[in-house]
Amino acid sequence: MPTLNASLNAWDTAAFADTLCAELRALGAARLPLQAGMRHGGYVLDDIRGVMLLGAAATPVAIEATVGVFFAGIIAGCNCADDPTPVEAREEYCELRVHILRTNGEAQFTLSDA
């Protein structure tokens, strides 16, 4: 389970949004549930293009944040010479809920319904 200790330490400061976004980008697409949020492609590329904080609140147990993630995906074809499937990256966006435990910074991610 990934930890977001820098974000936990930055909670309730002006640096929280930037810190959280930087830590999520550093995790990479493979550690986030982006595949489930794809709308145009079939395979997530490991290139997170941007993260923005949409909202955050704290409970005694955890910090709950919602973030928007911009990333890229492709439609994976058969790689045949005559395959008409485009190989260009397609822009994708999804919203994730981030649950950071206040005791140790462990983070869980779920796809937001919004």
Side-chain angles (χ1 to χ4, degrees), residues 36-91:
M38 292 191 80
R39 301 209 192 290
H40 306 292
Y43 179 78
V44 176
L45 299 177
D46 196 37
D47 179 24
I48 295 178
R49 307 233 167 137
V51 180
M52 67 179 172
L53 179 65
L54 301 175
T59 69
V61 175
I63 297 168
E64 305 283 348
T66 303
V67 296
V69 182
F70 298 90
F71 60 101
I74 60 169
I75 299 172
C78 70
N79 293 327
C80 300
D82 61 345
D83 183 8
T85 307
V87 295
E88 295 87 27
R90 296 176 179 262
E91 298 300 317

Side-chain angles (χ1 to χ4, degrees), residues 19 22 32 37 45 49-50 52 56 58 65 68 72 78 95 97-98 113:
T19 303
L32 300 174
L45 299 177
R49 307 233 167 137
M52 67 179 172
C78 70
E95 294 180 4
R97 291 197 179 119
V98 183
D113 295 334

